[in-house]
Amino acid sequence: MNIGIEDIAKVVNEKLKEGLSTAQIEKEMKVGKDTLRKKLNRANYRYNKDLKQYELVSNTEVTLSVITQQNTDVLHKNNTSATQSVITQKVKSVTQEKIELTEEEINILKIITRNYKISNRSYELEGEIVTRSVRTYKNVLGQFASYCKENNLSQKDSIALALIDFMKV
């Protein structure tokens, strides 16, 4: 039997009215921790603290919050000027007025979000530090040094993280 997300939201909201917490509801329904919350969030349901209920929000509102929370990080991740200008224009237009996004634009935002989550993994950078001589382009190294300085980052740690992400460990 396949239960729709609307039915799940109704059941969860009823249980919340009874005074149960989301964790208690998950335990009662025999699902993993945060499973219901994640499913509801993916389906554009957001928890309203005032009402203590999950409410369905529009795609425009969700997209606006995703863009405004992550635009800075996305711009740092995708360092091409074309991508920066397109995203910056989208952010400006979305913050100035509510617009409808096409399915393709929503998919692009999902990919950007997924890449952002991958890039923010925490890695244990421990062990012996070795010195290597690497040949690279002067302008790239200059941009990298400036970026690290502006963002108060360690160059050795930034290179280590970039190598780990490159290898997709």
Side-chain angles (χ1 to χ4, degrees), residues 5-20:
I5 194 68
E6 296 87 13
D7 296 328
I8 292 173
K10 285 178 187 176
V11 169
V12 169
N13 283 334
E14 287 173 14
K15 297 286 184 180
L16 288 169
K17 281 181 186 176
E18 294 172 9
L20 295 175

Side-chain angles (χ1 to χ4, degrees), residues 116-123 161 164-165 168-169:
Y116 171 77
K117 288 177 183 175
I118 289 170
S119 71
N120 275 349
R121 290 184 188 150
S122 60
Y123 297 102
L161 290 173
I164 289 170
D165 281 344
K168 298 186 192 243
V169 173

Side-chain angles (χ1 to χ4, degrees), residues 103-127:
E103 191 68 32
E104 180 183 6
E105 290 169 324
I106 292 170
N107 288 334
I108 290 170
L109 288 171
K110 286 178 182 177
I111 291 168
I112 291 170
T113 305
R114 198 172 312 120
N115 288 340
Y116 171 77
K117 288 177 183 175
I118 289 170
S119 71
N120 275 349
R121 290 184 188 150
S122 60
Y123 297 102
E124 300 280 332
L125 297 177
E126 299 175 345

